[in-house]
Amino acid sequence: MTKGELRAQVALQVKNLSPVYCREADEAICRGVLHSEPYRRARTVFCYIGTDREVDTMPILRAALREGRTVAVPLCTVPGVMEARQITGVGDLVSGKYGILAPRASCPVLEPEEIGVAVVPCCTGNGRGERLGYGGGYYDRYLPRTRCPALLLCRSRLVHEDIPTEAHDARMDYLVTELGVQACQ
């Protein structure tokens, strides 16, 4: 199966997930992140803001801010390139490209090596650390510049064991589903 075919298959799966399952899974996934060793050790958290098809990460962002951690969210600057921008509250988020929340352009840039843990979205992923994103290559370019563990968030019903990968695809360190946090092998 090609990456495009798998993305299309997962998109159909997402449409068929019940809102109750998604809400309950997302809550459990966020709890898993907040109790994970990589998150607890990190002073600086880089976390995406979930869209309708992704895990809702607002509980992670709010908890990290409440705990006094440095929090950064992605800002896509040009096709294929993103930066980690520090926010001090959810009020620093505005509607960006495609209606996705993004940090204000005035939010300061954090360097990749400043990040203590990265919370990463996916179309699908698996316990081997393989991740299929949405095709822009943003995380595949960004994550190798960090020195931190990457936590991949994926609802268990969307996990796929056979994911087509290429040499440039970034590997994840942990897979977080509603069933728990697993170190990738």
Side-chain angles (χ1 to χ4, degrees):
M1 184 177 306
T2 67
K3 287 182 176 185
E5 291 167 340
L6 184 53
R7 282 187 189 101
Q9 179 182 330
V10 173
L12 286 175
Q13 286 180 278
V14 169
K15 283 184 181 181
N16 291 320
L17 295 175
S18 79
V20 171
Y21 166 75
C22 291
R23 185 179 64 253
E24 290 174 354
D26 292 5
E27 289 170 359
I29 289 167
C30 289
R31 279 193 306 273
V33 169
L34 296 173
H35 290 98
S36 72
E37 187 65 27
Y39 174 85
R40 289 185 305 184
R41 282 194 315 251
R43 293 301 316 142
T44 301
V45 178
F46 178 51
C47 183
Y48 75 96
I49 300 168
T51 64
D52 290 341
R53 64 185 180 215
E54 297 169 331
V55 172
D56 176 10
T57 58
M58 287 307 270
I60 297 168
L61 293 167
R62 287 189 173 106
L65 289 164
R66 196 172 46 248
E67 294 164 356
R69 297 175 196 268
T70 301
V71 177
V73 296
L75 178 65
C76 298
T77 55
V78 296
V81 178
M82 70 178 176
E83 296 175 337
R85 295 288 184 106
Q86 183 178 350
I87 62 168
T88 57
V90 293
D92 286 337
L93 303 173
V94 296
S95 183
K97 284 185 178 179
Y98 314 109
I100 299 170
L101 288 177
R104 296 180 187 281
S106 60
C107 291
V109 175
L110 292 183
E111 295 303 320
E113 57 272 7
E114 294 179 78
I115 295 171
V117 68
V119 178
V120 182
C122 68
C123 178
T124 184
N126 62 37
R128 290 186 304 280
E130 297 168 338
R131 170 188 177 268
L132 181 66
Y134 299 99
Y138 291 92
Y139 286 90
D140 292 323
R141 289 181 191 88
Y142 189 83
L143 290 174
R145 299 171 45 216
T146 69
R147 297 186 195 130
C148 67
L151 280 64
L152 182 65
L153 308 192
C154 188
R155 297 175 186 124
S156 68
R157 294 181 186 173
L158 301 177
V159 169
H160 282 265
E161 288 310 311
D162 295 317
I163 297 176
T165 60
E166 299 172 63
H168 66 267
D169 292 331
R171 291 280 179 145
M172 303 295 107
D173 300 297
Y174 295 86
L175 173 65
V176 185
T177 71
E178 70 274 18
L179 305 177
V181 179
Q182 135 184 23
C184 294
Q185 309 273 334

